[in-house]
Amino acid sequence: MMRENVPLASLTTFRIGGPARYVHTGDSIASVKTAFAHSRECGLPVYPMGQGSNILAADHSIAAVVLKMENDSISFTETTSGVEVCAEAGTSWDTLVRACAAEGLWGIENLAGIPGTVGAAPVQNIGAYGTELADTFSWLECYDPETDSVLRLTKDGCMFGYRDSVFKQKPGPVIMRVALLLQREGTANTNYTDLSRLIEAGEALSTPHTIGEAVRRVRSVKFPDLAKYGTAGSFFKNPTISSDAYTALKLQYSELPGFVVEEGIKIPLAWILDHVLDLRGFRMGRVHLFENQPLVLVADADATADEVNALATAVAEKVCAATGIRIEREVRSFS
Ligand SMILES: Cc1cc2nc3c(=O)[nH]c(=O)nc-3n(C[C@H](O)[C@H](O)[C@H](O)COP(=O)(O)OP(=O)(O)OC[C@H]3O[C@@H](n4cnc5c(N)ncnc54)[C@H](O)[C@@H]3O)c2cc1C
């Protein structure tokens, strides 16, 4: 199906964005190929899209063929190394998490409640509460418009990093389906304070189902209600800095948290926004940083992408001035 001049405000959780020239529905390889053929005819780029929960679309009209993935099915296959769960790109991510929990499968319960589709999950290697997609990822299939063929990529081919993958570095292919390897036996990963506190309070987080429900409850406080507010979740990535830079910053901010990762020291940006810059709830016009989690940018009804960009730029400048750290956006731009 193809529609013309569809406001992206109606297709994104920020509820911001001017009309896209064309929106195609992608529910099969044939429909994806049709969208690419149309894009070549009219000389416009193709922008794949799921539920628009990680996109800031520009206010002006967007000269592109938006390809909204809506193929959704889930299958389970027993293998000698676990259960292979295969889901089509348009499947809601949280529907998949619930379906796996209902089967008693371990591995993605900490990723409960993340908005969006299965097809977008590898793009930024979604992660939360000490788990990321890459931990259970097995393979994916994507349509590559350059070669007009379907490619199967394993974990190495996806080049996963922190909120990163080959699909961010080199956009183009459209993810059609994703396979994970989950286990019938497992233990709870409750290293994150929010979850360990629940255990201390006596909650039995002993199955993928109970953990998933606990994570959804914790998230309902950390993130604004999508039914009421426009947001794309965390707007910025947590920065990673060198250990020398971290040591220098600790002289100034002695309680600055830092976690050792392969590339250096990862800093929780929310701590800087909160304790160094006092930006919890910081507002410019119709956009503000969420009171319960300052990494999350919230847009009032009728806010514009220009207003979001202005606030995001102001925040990035303040962080740089106070700490020397240049922060990066997690949210993708459509313009
Ligand atoms: C309230 C809230 C909380 C969030 N919490 C988290 C969190 O805890 N952890 C986390 O990692 N993220 C989080 N996010 C971000 C978001 O949910 C994820 O990035 C999600 O994977 C986006 O899915 P989507 O279907 O909405 O993708 P979209 O926003 O539609 O697209 C995101 C990007 O993926 C590309 N894309 C989409 N589908 C495909 C496809 N089939 N093939 C190729 N490229 C594609 C798009 O072109 C775009 O660049 C949160 C967002 C919100 C609004």
Side-chain angles (χ1 to χ4, degrees), residues 11-14 46-55 67 69 71 89-91 93 111-129 142 163 167-168 171-176 219 223-224 226 231-234 296 330-334:
L11 299 181
T12 59
T13 57
F14 247 136
V46 172
Y47 291 173
M49 186 181 203
Q51 291 173 359
S53 65
N54 206 26
I55 289 171
L67 176 55
M69 298 306 292
N71 50 341
T91 310
W93 172 260
L111 303 179
I114 298 182
T117 54
V118 166
V123 174
Q124 74 153 356
N125 182 22
I126 57 168
Y129 300 103
C142 56
R163 299 296 170 276
F167 299 97
K168 263 192 167 177
V174 178
I175 297 166
M176 298 301 301
R219 293 180 64 94
F223 291 98
L226 284 179
T231 185
S234 301
V296 173
E330 179 180 311
V331 170
R332 316 298 295 155
S333 292
F334 273 16

